[in-house]
Amino acid sequence: MFNYKFDWAIITSGQYFDWLVSGVKVTLELSIVSVVLSFLLGLLIAVMRMSNVRPVRWFAHGYLEFFRNTPLLVQIFFWYFGSYKILPTAVNDWLNSTNFEFTAAVIALTIYTSAFIAEDIRSGVRSIPKEQMEAARSAGFSYLRSMQYIILPQAVRITIPPLINQFLNLAKNSSLAMTIGVAEITYQARQVESYTFKGFEAFTAATLVYLILSVAITALVTLYSKKMLNPMGAR
Amino acid sequence: MIRFEGVHKWFKKLHVLNDVNLHVKQGEVVVLCGPSGSGKSTLIRTVNRLEPIDRGKLIVDGQNLSDPKTDINKLRAEIGFVFQQFNLYPHLSVLKNITLAPIKIRNITRGEAEEQATVLLERVGLAEKRDAYPAQLSGGQQQRVAIARALAMKPKIMLFDEPTSALDPEMIGEVLQVMQGLAHTGMTLIVVTHEMGFAREVADRVVFIDFGVILEEATPEEFFKNPKHERARLFLKEILSPMH
């Protein structure tokens, strides 16, 4: 009944190993680039969502509802297949000369995740006492500079745990990029399986990669917040 | 320096400032007092437009606060504000609390700002706390840092909104002493406070306000010896001998 022959050597050396390693590299690139961009974009959208200028606030609100309430896979397809149709030929030619699969995946992951990050940051901002804004404004800081120097640095510290969650989701969601041909680790594991029929070994490897990546993200963000973002004392 | 002309303000239906007329001259120390809910905090907060006024005219340092052309951020940089709850930036050290605005708004170098902060910290008696965080300080220490933070902008006017009301009694003196030192430098000061000893010794003028109306304006001697308005008499009685 149990006559599957394990062959771990096939994924720990040789050509298939190289495939998996190249997949790990792409997954790392995809995740790191998207984590950084989605955090920055999330900050921007959060600030826009709280703006006093109505059209800006409405735009941010629409953005949040739109991207949080549609499936990531559809968004990936949209950026990859959809945007292609409406862009000028020259732009398309240029895109084709680059690694457009990768770019489309970064755009989709970044925008999708930024919507969640923005909401987390906004609730962080709302937990900062309004007197902090008053203190900053009475010193002569504009609204935006008060946000930049006083409110957001405090809000982000409070937001670290939910941010870690979003980064983990992003890293795991990056596997969907295989559907548009980005050769990340899930894609490569699938390749190895097609060539060798060693699905168990190949996807065990992929699983371990995501597990290690997630633990690393949690550790790095936690370490950074402890080391760099300083003790706020008893707050 | 500061001129209120027929200023009104409402919170919904509540008439919190009712036809306020007041002129504070440069270098003057004015103490605002009155029962809680009288509108004195609102009044002081209108001076840097933390609370906008609804009617009338308010001129601060030659600028009309209701004029859309007034650059409020620029004006606020000239006005130090000290809060009841200190409102230090909890994520920054004492030194950074003080140097942030001078560096970012006045565009002075970090070195210059830190030198200046060191002098100010010595002046408020907290030189050894420059690297501490607000949460590691007592209330009185936090309030003295808040005063140093406001002074670092070299303001023309300082506003104090009940600066000692959140403090334990034994810490009130240290804060009042710093404020008294300031009054002697010729800076324009408006202080909302219940510390009548401070008013008596330091103020040029005491303004008594209730229900959003200025009921009395007098020198401290006049005000404490012979308050004209009935409510001022009651207020003084309550505050000077709460047990009667």
Side-chain angles (χ1 to χ4, degrees):
Chain A
M1 140 226 172
F2 194 68
N3 55 6
Y4 182 79
K5 276 212 169 54
F6 290 99
D7 184 2
W8 295 101
I10 210 164
I11 59 153
T12 53
S13 59
Q15 186 198 3
Y16 301 125
F17 174 73
D18 294 344
W19 285 5
L20 291 178
V21 169
S22 86
V24 171
K25 277 189 194 149
V26 174
T27 290
L28 280 177
E29 277 171 26
L30 193 56
S31 303
I32 292 168
V33 172
S34 305
V35 159
V36 172
L37 292 180
S38 64
F39 176 66
L40 295 176
L41 190 60
L43 270 179
L44 179 69
I45 298 293
V47 171
M48 288 171 72
R49 180 72 182 85
M50 293 176 290
S51 165
N52 282 329
V53 186
R54 258 188 224 157
V56 171
R57 193 167 66 231
W58 288 341
F59 171 82
H61 196 172
Y63 178 101
L64 289 172
E65 294 303 334
F66 190 89
F67 290 110
R68 281 194 307 161
N69 294 323
T70 48
L72 176 57
L73 188 57
V74 174
Q75 289 182 34
I76 290 175
F77 285 164
F78 178 84
W79 294 111
Y80 185 61
F81 299 111
S83 66
Y84 197 69
K85 303 282 178 193
I86 57 163
L87 291 172
T89 323
V91 177
N92 276 331
D93 287 346
W94 177 75
L95 284 175
N96 282 332
S97 73
T98 66
N99 186 351
F100 182 52
E101 292 80 16
F102 185 81
T103 311
V106 166
I107 292 173
L109 282 168
T110 296
I111 290 182
Y112 179 79
T113 313
S114 73
F116 292 92
I117 288 179
E119 283 298 76
D120 286 341
I121 289 176
R122 189 163 71 103
S123 62
V125 166
R126 279 163 50 168
S127 67
I128 305 297
K130 72 172 196 324
E131 286 79 9
Q132 285 291 311
M133 183 54 112
E134 285 189 346
R137 295 307 302 271
S138 22
F141 286 111
S142 68
Y143 173 79
L144 285 178
R145 298 186 95 198
S146 303
M147 276 286 174
Q148 182 188 351
Y149 298 127
I150 289 128
I151 306 300
L152 287 177
Q154 295 183 55
V156 168
R157 284 166 171 80
I158 294 176
T159 314
I160 298 272
L163 275 183
I164 290 177
N165 262 338
Q166 300 305 347
F167 292 159
L168 294 183
N169 281 337
L170 191 155
K172 291 178 287 178
N173 284 340
S174 72
S175 58
L176 289 176
M178 74 168 288
T179 57
I180 55 170
V182 178
E184 43 71 71
I185 181 65
T186 310
Y187 180 98
Q188 296 291 16
R190 178 96 179 77
Q191 286 284 94
V192 171
E193 193 271 338
S194 321
Y195 278 70
T196 63
F197 301 107
K198 293 295 177 193
F200 186 88
E201 291 85 341
F203 285 108
T204 300
T207 304
L208 285 175
V209 167
Y210 286 112
L211 190 63
I212 292 166
L213 181 59
S214 296
V215 171
I217 287 175
T218 307
L220 281 176
V221 177
T222 310
L223 198 70
Y224 177 78
S225 65
K226 284 229 172 91
K227 274 258 153 92
M228 304 300 294
L229 297 183
N230 243 313
M232 272 210 272
R235 199 189 160 88
Chain B
M1 200 67 177
I2 303 165
R3 187 187 289 278
F4 291 81
E5 289 174 18
V7 168
H8 289 261
K9 179 171 180 66
W10 287 265
F11 285 138
K12 302 259 167 69
K13 278 191 176 158
L14 191 67
H15 203 161
V16 280
L17 294 179
N18 188 348
D19 193 27
V20 169
N21 292 283
L22 182 67
H23 182 204
V24 179
K25 291 192 281 291
Q26 187 162 0
E28 211 179 359
V29 179
V30 171
V31 163
L32 272 178
C33 61
S36 72
S38 59
K40 53 194 192 304
S41 275
T42 309
L43 185 65
I44 200 172
R45 286 162 62 91
T46 60
V47 176
N48 73 349
R49 220 170 80 185
L50 276 183
E51 300 288 354
I53 61 173
D54 294 323
R55 224 169 81 193
K57 206 161 143 189
L58 175 49
I59 314 283
V60 178
D61 193 23
Q63 306 209 52
N64 185 341
L65 286 195
S66 310
D67 187 341
K69 284 200 286 288
T70 296
D71 183 345
I72 190 66
N73 295 328
K74 214 170 151 196
L75 183 61
R76 280 172 176 158
E78 307 297 332
I79 306 174
F81 200 104
V82 176
F83 297 86
Q84 182 177 354
Q85 298 291 347
F86 337 126
N87 300 345
L88 293 178
Y89 311 133
H91 61 302
L92 299 178
S93 67
V94 164
L95 188 68
K96 291 214 163 130
N97 262 278
I98 298 174
T99 56
L100 182 69
I103 292 171
K104 301 296 182 189
I105 297 174
R106 296 276 193 241
N107 291 315
I108 66 174
T109 64
R110 175 167 299 279
E112 221 179 309
E114 290 186 351
E115 235 169 79
Q116 186 195 313
T118 310
V119 173
L120 284 168
L121 280 173
E122 273 164 20
R123 190 160 146 201
V124 300
L126 290 171
E128 78 287 0
K129 295 291 185 187
R130 67 201 295 263
D131 297 318
Y133 281 80
Q136 298 162 330
L137 302 181
S138 72
Q141 291 172 331
Q142 288 192 54
Q143 193 61 299
R144 284 184 282 156
V145 172
I147 293 172
R149 175 176 71 175
L151 289 175
M153 291 296 279
K154 302 201 167 85
K156 296 178 182 164
I157 302 169
M158 283 281 281
L159 307 172
F160 293 86
D161 186 7
E162 302 208 31
T164 56
S165 300
L167 298 178
D168 291 334
E170 75 271 22
M171 293 171 182
I172 292 175
E174 64 194 51
V175 172
L176 291 180
Q177 275 162 25
V178 170
M179 290 165 62
Q180 185 170 22
L182 266 184
H184 294 315
T185 64
M187 192 179 278
T188 310
L189 256 57
I190 302 185
V191 183
V192 171
T193 187
H194 292 303
E195 294 300 327
M196 291 300 125
F198 177 82
R200 207 190 300 256
E201 276 185 46
V202 182
D204 295 311
R205 203 147 41 111
V206 177
V207 173
F208 179 76
I209 176 170
D210 199 7
F211 297 108
V213 183
I214 291 183
L215 295 178
E216 191 148 348
E217 254 188 89
T219 63
E221 298 87 66
E222 276 170 29
F223 182 72
F224 288 109
K225 227 180 259 163
N226 186 20
K228 286 180 200 66
H229 202 283
E230 174 60 27
R231 280 214 289 274
R233 265 197 290 273
L234 267 171
F235 173 75
L236 279 177
K237 198 173 146 206
E238 287 285 338
I239 210 155
L240 294 176
S241 53
M243 317 267 305
H244 304 306

